[in-house]
Amino acid sequence: MPDWRDLCRGEEGISVDGDGFEIVTTGDRHQRIAVRETTDTFELTGIVARPSAIVGITDVALRTWRRNRAMQLVGFRLDQKGRLVGEAWVPKAGLTRDEFLLYAKRVADECDLFEYHLTGKDRE
């Protein structure tokens, strides 16, 4: 089975850090992606916005639901800490480096974009 750290190695704009990696997104912004490994998948999670950033947005749940309807590969939800997160599950079976990097970059880009759409800022 592949090791996600090996799949990230040598890729420009990605630096492995503990239980995840930091990735450079569009416009030289950065997004931290946590990796949780199960027997069959890598679960990639990025923070879109912390509770303090979305407290004044009354329709955040509806906007998240609408965004999920239009998304592929990445889904959004509020986690147990009240943060809005984006996530993807990457199956390990037959996984190639290019496929893993596609998921990693897509999660980072979509989290960054949704954060900007919601708050007008880049905080994460």
Side-chain angles (χ1 to χ4, degrees):
M1 286 292 174
D3 181 324
W4 66 268
R5 290 166 193 84
D6 291 337
L7 298 173
C8 289
R9 265 194 199 96
E11 183 65 17
E12 186 175 334
I14 296 180
S15 57
V16 174
D17 177 23
D19 65 347
F21 52 90
E22 188 165 305
I23 187 168
V24 177
T25 62
T26 308
D28 285 335
R29 294 190 300 264
H30 296 82
Q31 187 74 33
R32 172 98 167 71
I33 304 298
V35 180
R36 182 174 167 266
E37 189 170 353
T38 69
T39 304
D40 300 324
T41 63
F42 295 115
E43 297 174 6
L44 308 180
T45 304
I47 298 173
V48 174
R50 299 191 185 283
S52 60
I54 57 176
V55 70
I57 303 171
T58 56
D59 63 345
V60 71
L62 180 60
R63 290 173 72 177
T64 301
W65 177 78
R66 284 185 180 145
R67 193 158 198 107
N68 280 336
R69 285 184 53 208
M71 293 300 304
Q72 294 181 7
L73 299 182
V74 180
F76 299 97
R77 67 179 177 87
L78 292 171
D79 71 3
Q80 67 275 17
K81 296 178 181 177
R83 302 175 302 185
L84 182 59
V85 298
E87 57 191 2
W89 296 279
V90 185
K92 289 181 180 178
L95 183 64
T96 66
R97 181 175 190 267
D98 288 342
E99 185 178 17
F100 180 83
L101 293 173
L102 173 83
Y103 275 93
K105 291 174 182 180
R106 188 69 177 262
V107 170
D109 285 341
E110 293 299 340
C111 287
D112 194 51
L113 183 62
F114 196 19
E115 174 190 23
Y116 184 75
H117 285 168
L118 285 172
T119 67
K121 298 175 181 158
D122 178 42
R123 293 186 174 140
E124 294 305 319

